[in-house]
Amino acid sequence: LYGSVDAAIGHVRAAEGASGLALSSGQAAASRVGLRGREALGDDLHATFNLEAGFDVDTGDGRASRGALAWDRQSWVGLSSRHG
């Protein structure tokens, strides 16, 4: 399990003169959460995977359509061995 959170708090002022603090997500990089793993299958063969999804820190919503975590970032599965 891995990830990163990028959030910022800023002071905002509306045209009417009202002001306050606001939390925003992804100021320098997108926030993300991921799962990564490797499993030995025998005879030097391994199954590997990586699933990664983006999300908004301020709302908790996923970055995919309708706010879901859709593993829409770096996501893959594969096999590896000493031969490649």
Side-chain angles (χ1 to χ4, degrees):
L1 181 63
Y2 70 94
S4 68
V5 175
D6 183 7
I9 296 176
H11 185 265
V12 294
R13 185 180 307 265
E16 305 84 39
S19 65
L21 296 176
L23 175 67
S24 60
S25 183
Q27 290 299 298
S31 297
R32 62 190 182 274
V33 62
L35 302 167
R36 182 181 301 144
R38 179 179 170 164
E39 181 69 28
L41 301 175
D43 292 332
D44 194 43
L45 185 64
H46 294 87
T48 60
F49 71 93
N50 193 85
L51 299 171
E52 187 175 287
F55 67 95
D56 286 327
V57 174
D58 50 343
T59 64
D61 289 340
R63 299 292 254 162
S65 63
R66 294 185 296 275
L69 284 178
W71 312 111
D72 58 343
R73 294 180 53 93
Q74 180 182 196
S75 299
W76 51 267
V77 296
L79 294 172
S80 66
S81 73
R82 66 176 175 244
H83 304 292

